[in-house]
Amino acid sequence: MRIQLLSSLLFLLPASVLLAQEEGSVAFKVGTVLTMDGQEFSPGTVIVEHGRITAVGGGDLEIPFDVLLKEYPDATLFPGFSEAHTSSGLDRANENVPIAPFLNVKDSIDPVSFYFEDELRNGTTAIGVIPGNNCVIGGLGRVVAPAGMTVEAMTLDDAMGMKVAIGPKSGWSRSAQLAEMREAIGTLHKDLVRKGQDLLHKGKVIVDKEKADEADDEPEDDGDMWDLTGGFVRYGEDFPGKELISEEDVDVTQRGLVRLLNGEERLWLWCPTSTDVFHGRHWAEELGLLDQVVFVVTPSAWKAADILKSSGRPVALTGGLWHVENDPITWEEVRTFVPTILHEAGIPFSIASDKSRMGPDKLGYQAAVCVREGIPRATALAAVTTVPALLWGMEDRSGALKVGADGNFVLMDGDPLDIGAKVLQVWLRGVKAYDRESDERLQRMLEGRSR
Amino acid sequence: MIFTLLLLSIQNPVSVIAADRIHLGDGQVLGPAFITLENGKVKSIEEGTPPQGAIHIANAELTPGLVDAYSFLGVNIGGYTVDESRESGASQRLSETANLDHEAFQNAVRNGVTSAFLSPDSANVFGGLAAFVKTSGGDSAHVFQKAGTSARVLENAAALKITLGNDAANGNHSPWGRPFDYKTRRPTTRMGTVWEIRRQFYKALDYKKAKLQGDVETNADLEVMLQVLDGRLPLRVQARRSNDVQTALRLKEEFGFTRMVVEEGTEAWRARDLLAQAGVAVVTGPAYDDVTRSIATGPTLKELRALANPIPVCCEGLEDPTAAGDLTVEDLAAAGEHNDSQGDEHSHGHLDEHTVAISGLAQDLLLATTAPRYDAMLAGSSRNRRGEGDKATPAMPFLLHQAGVYCALGSAEAHDSALSEASLIHQARTAVRWGLDPSLALAMVTSQAAALCGQAGKLGVIAKGLDADLVLWSGDPLAGTSRPLLVIVEGQIAADFR
């Protein structure tokens, strides 16, 4: 009997060790670890426990007994690419109302869209999805991972910020664009002043009623928690009753705008050209919101590099890397490689994949192009890893392999800037999200199978 | 005299150029070596240390000038370059109408392309005679140039272009319901397009007979077709869909075309064994490295039919084994088939009460509503790629080569935009990423490309006595981090990024 018990215990022992290996805990010993935190280990080790990185180091790092070790001596491990700003993955980029601070991409992201599948396949681990630029105030974005069956499961951070467009909506002039913005803010102010007066009056009525009926000790409680939480409006000059206004008192279509003006939202300020950069900065300064701004620009904004620099704000470069214009008199082509301008001005910038025109659109390729045109390798890699994280305010969690960060990383068979290197695996929060070997669609294409 | 010297110095001929690695274009690679140029030709290739005064940049690698085997450089920009008023424009020469001054040529040169096959637009069934040109030189503004830009034309009848598929029929319409114009004509369908090809070639055969019998009025179009039938002129067939490629092969068999090349061939990989059997070469169009843009990844018609015609409730969890576990689309498709087969022993007598037979219209509607999501979102859809040849794979050059199909890469309209990164060298890089051997990829944009354009042994390789068309790259030409430092056409510097 005892022998039987003992043997069954022995039998259970390895099983218990297996059980101890938690979901989201894994260790990798690989050929090279690019931490993007200023360090490179060859060989290197990364340990993830419960979805977070607990240690990064050389090949001699000790692995906790309950963490599954995986060894790929020829592979390179790095944090994966980050797409700072995109409207991909949404069914439509913009609603057809110009002022839409009440919209949220969480209602539009399609988790099973091929866009996300393809990004995962190409080693992207974080994507900032935000409404498009064809708006005045576009709505709220969020940072997602390209894996998961629901928007909630994909979400890495829901506080990416609000899209605000200074560059005109299609068919609009610049002046109409800015006038619409001022009008929306003016209307809001008028509504808030009226609401403040209403609340003061309501309060007075209650006080009068209390005086009239002194038997009532307590003011009438309608069970509404919002009545106790005034002070929702914190921007601008004071007006009577301002401190009484709670979130609920403001119309649902305007709450987002109040939050924006309060300075509670990061502003993704669409300034496609250099003149928009000037207007955008002026607008943000006027409202005291410059500290919240991320300038979303296209290459043609490079001429405002000094304005961008003196703003002290980072830049998300979209729509390609080159600016090309023809001299109107000589027809000579003038080509400007915009990342070089931004790098030399010392402006932190992210680059984007470019789906707008034919040709290569991968973040890795765009970074390789930067290196090709003379940008230091570290800066080029940062533009697709750490800078997007910085723009999202997620620098502690995303974009670099460091203790405390999310266990998101990509295993490649070469350098991330080598366009021939393949993505072998993608891990998100310590769980495998992609494996090249089981990528049926990719295999089908590689082998040339019709079905 | 001083003035002349000044101008000559602007021309800036290169005499000796050295590199750490010289790719000869035919697969051979030389170690540190140098090339001596004379009168725009390669005088000698020698290994070892270069003499004083040679152009020598550390880590640089030298390749032959790239040959773009299929391009629309200067073709469809700013107005028509081929006449669209009739379907057979076989004798029209693109070399006389293409805009050789267009900046697309500069973009091509900047990316290392020194010669290019210009393909007539696909607006009519017989697009005309293709041209083969150098991308640089022959500046018409240059005082001492013998000829204008036409000096760049190496071949004004490089091939006859015919178009299969949608493009040629696109815009044509029947006489009903629309005002009569020159587009009121056949073909309006794929069938009509093939009919037009067949009709013209049979006309040409009759013409040949008539010519042998006696006096007959000369017909320039039919003369061109006779050249094709006699194997004196290559035939370029634009065919994107796999069934168009197969149509091309059938036409080859019917008329005995000996020099046929399939152009663009977006889905040619699906017919690769047939192509290999027939010995027909393929010049690919631009590949997209975005899977969602390069392959129609959605469900098949069968799967859609199954989704529209789901398993009846009465079957769930009973006879159908798939209902118990996770249902996949394939399972549903299989189940849909099971429904269709009325004679099957598992089918029930009451099936028809629960299932709605999906009619042609309903199916079309279903496809119209679901297909856009799965559609191959091809950029450059102006060439009507959208909806035609949507099953592309960037692995095509590799797959074709593997099957034994001779293959070269083309850029189509990739060089039209100054902003595009999708140049010819990028096509080669993409092919390597998708499985092709690097030396083969390089051959597909140099020696093999030249061979498919009828320039075998003349261009696309670095060899003694040939034109000195060279590109000096900042590193491995197939690395994404490399760029051309120097592009040389016939010994002259055409682009300098040193």
Side-chain angles (χ1 to χ4, degrees), chain A residues 74-141:
Chain A
D74 299 323
T76 298
L77 194 145
F78 94 116
F81 299 110
S82 294
E83 182 86 77
H85 169 280
T86 181
S87 301
S88 299
L90 303 177
D91 60 344
R92 282 170 90 180
N94 283 108
E95 189 50 77
N96 61 358
V97 274
I99 305 287
F102 45 87
L103 295 179
N104 193 321
V105 292
K106 85 171 170 217
D107 301 319
S108 181
I109 288 174
D110 177 7
V112 297
S113 81
F114 285 121
Y115 166 72
F116 291 117
E117 182 187 307
D118 214 20
E119 287 300 313
L120 188 64
R121 179 177 290 129
N122 286 296
T124 305
T125 48
I127 305 169
V129 183
I130 194 161
N133 306 320
N134 193 19
C135 62
V136 177
I137 294 173
L140 292 166

Side-chain angles (χ1 to χ4, degrees), chain A residues 110 112-115 117-118 121-122 321-324 326 331 333 335 337 354-362 365-369 371-374 412 417-423 436 441-442 444-451, chain B residues 103 106-107 110 269-270 272 286 288-295 297-298 300 303 330 373-374 379-380 385 392-395 398-399 402 411 413-414 417-422 426 429-430 433-435 474 478-483:
Chain A
D110 177 7
V112 297
S113 81
F114 285 121
Y115 166 72
E117 182 187 307
D118 214 20
R121 179 177 290 129
N122 286 296
L321 305 173
W322 287 96
H323 179 240
V324 181
N326 285 82
W331 276 100
E333 198 176 81
R335 291 167 67 84
F337 191 69
D354 183 7
K355 293 189 164 40
S356 61
R357 58 178 65 86
M358 193 164 90
D361 60 354
K362 295 285 161 282
Y365 187 85
Q366 303 286 3
V369 169
V371 173
R372 184 185 88 190
E373 300 298 332
M412 293 180 85
L417 292 186
D418 173 1
I419 58 165
K422 298 173 190 75
V423 172
R436 186 179 165 91
R441 240 192 281 277
L442 184 76
R444 196 191 283 183
M445 287 173 75
L446 286 168
E447 292 164 24
R449 278 183 280 140
S450 300
R451 274 294 301 136
Chain B
E103 53 263 33
Q106 291 170 30
N107 297 334
R110 189 177 15 246
W269 62 275
R270 305 180 100 197
R272 57 193 186 277
Y288 300 89
D289 44 0
D290 181 343
V291 177
T292 51
R293 281 205 275 180
S294 63
I295 194 166
T297 26
T300 62
E303 289 160 350
E330 281 79 6
R373 221 185 96 199
Y374 304 108
R385 290 215 177 84
T393 166
F398 168 70
L399 293 170
Q402 201 183 33
S411 70
E413 61 271 26
S417 163
L419 291 166
S420 178
E421 282 281 338
H426 180 68
R429 288 168 185 167
T430 306
R433 183 182 170 93
W434 288 83
S474 62
L478 293 171
T481 47
S482 300
R483 64 195 175 95

Side-chain angles (χ1 to χ4, degrees), chain B residues 347-369:
Chain B
S347 69
H348 311 280
H350 56 266
L351 243 175
D352 291 341
E353 296 165 30
H354 295 276
T355 56
V356 184
I358 182 157
S359 71
L361 180 68
Q363 203 169 68
D364 287 352
L365 281 173
L366 184 76
L367 274 174
T369 49

